[in-house]
Amino acid sequence: DTAVSQTPKYLVTQMGNDKSIKCEQNLGHDTMYWYKQDSKKFLKIMFSYNNKELIINETVPNRFSPKSPDKAHLNLHINSLELGDSAVYFCASRHTGGSGNTIYFGEGSWLTVV
Amino acid sequence: SQQGEEDPQALSIQEGENATMNCSYKTSINNLQWYRQNSGRGLVHLILIRSNEREKHSGRLRVTLDTSKKSSSLLITASRAADTASYFCATGPWGSGSARQLTFGSGTQLTVLP
């Protein structure tokens, strides 16, 4: 039973291309995130959505555009890919009610820009 | 900015030994969490300790929290080869309500040799 699933797992693409990563969670959570993990394993939040509304938008180039069609999905579209975009992108979700602090992560999408 | 920093960055031990990882953070917190990331996988929540707790146990895991020193430690007893992974501390939550987020460090890479 996959809780947070994201596709594709691996993506190799050329500079300048546009690509999307999809994410879905079946946990009934109301908040979803995109995190970026760099080559040094530092994990940094990019976006957060709550019930389809953008809540957190860290300093991320506007080439990155998240889209949440419903609270179970949060997709990430990247325009004009650059070499520096190569990283692992993690989708995650959380239930904001009560003391819910645990974040559930997807398996990651390895993006390589060549 | 990065809130939690793990120490050491890498740790290599023999199976059966104990592994201790440390985390330091900069500002006051509500809770501190530890996550594990196996190679090529997403992060998995291990344990949460609240700011009013000093120690917590879960199976072979023991977490301590010293809010006066703004530090935490994760002890894994009787380590196994399967414990080989990166371990992250996460602090927070920052923000309020649905804007809450966790801030992660760059992790400790633990290698348990058989």
Side-chain angles (χ1 to χ4, degrees):
Chain A
D1 291 344
T2 304
V4 182
S5 60
Q6 50 183 112
T7 55
K9 186 170 177 73
Y10 299 101
L11 183 56
V12 181
T13 187
Q14 290 187 324
M15 282 175 56
N17 283 350
D18 303 338
K19 291 294 178 185
S20 292
I21 308 172
K22 294 185 176 181
C23 178
E24 175 182 6
Q25 54 94 4
N26 62 5
L27 297 166
H29 289 168
D30 54 357
T31 299
M32 296 185 71
Y33 306 87
W34 277 107
Y35 280 85
K36 178 181 180 180
Q37 187 174 45
D38 62 23
S39 58
K40 295 184 179 179
K41 293 203 169 182
F42 177 49
L43 201 63
K44 183 176 171 59
I45 191 167
M46 299 174 68
F47 301 103
S48 170
Y49 269 72
N50 176 260
N51 285 321
K52 303 194 300 176
E53 286 191 35
L54 179 63
I55 301 299
I56 295 172
N57 182 353
E58 292 294 309
T59 306
V60 176
N62 58 15
R63 297 181 295 103
F64 291 79
S65 54
K67 281 188 172 56
S68 182
D70 56 60
K71 71 177 188 178
H73 295 82
L74 181 61
N75 304 322
L76 183 64
H77 187 75
I78 315 171
N79 290 326
S80 303
L81 279 156
E82 301 178 355
L83 293 177
D85 297 332
S86 295
V88 186
Y89 293 84
F90 286 98
C91 179
S93 72
R94 181 174 74 88
H95 175 59
T96 55
S99 60
N101 290 307
T102 301
I103 292 181
Y104 294 79
F105 284 84
E107 294 287 274
S109 294
W110 269 250
L111 172 65
T112 302
V113 182
V114 297
Chain B
S1 62
Q2 193 172 343
Q3 165 70 331
E5 297 211 14
E6 293 86 349
D7 170 62
Q9 289 188 331
L11 179 61
S12 186
I13 59 173
Q14 293 293 134
E15 207 164 24
E17 292 180 341
N18 295 342
T20 300
M21 289 157 273
N22 302 297
C23 171
S24 60
Y25 57 92
K26 296 172 184 172
T27 60
S28 60
I29 59 173
N30 290 339
N31 65 71
L32 184 144
Q33 304 180 40
W34 285 91
Y35 285 76
R36 182 184 73 206
Q37 183 182 29
N38 290 346
S39 179
R41 306 295 294 274
L43 280 76
V44 175
H45 179 261
L46 292 176
I47 193 167
L48 179 152
I49 186 166
R50 301 189 188 285
S51 58
N52 61 354
E53 297 176 311
R54 291 296 168 259
E55 187 172 312
K56 200 162 183 179
H57 297 255
S58 176
R60 293 184 296 112
L61 305 180
R62 173 178 168 251
V63 170
T64 63
L65 179 64
D66 187 336
T67 52
S68 65
K69 294 182 180 178
K70 292 187 170 59
S71 67
S72 172
S73 68
L74 171 67
L75 168 68
I76 303 174
T77 60
S79 63
R80 306 166 182 167
D83 294 329
T84 295
S86 292
Y87 291 83
F88 295 82
C89 68
T91 57
W94 310 107
S96 60
S98 58
R100 287 182 171 183
Q101 58 167 304
L102 297 179
T103 304
F104 290 83
S106 57
T108 291
Q109 172 61 49
L110 173 66
T111 302
V112 181
L113 303 170

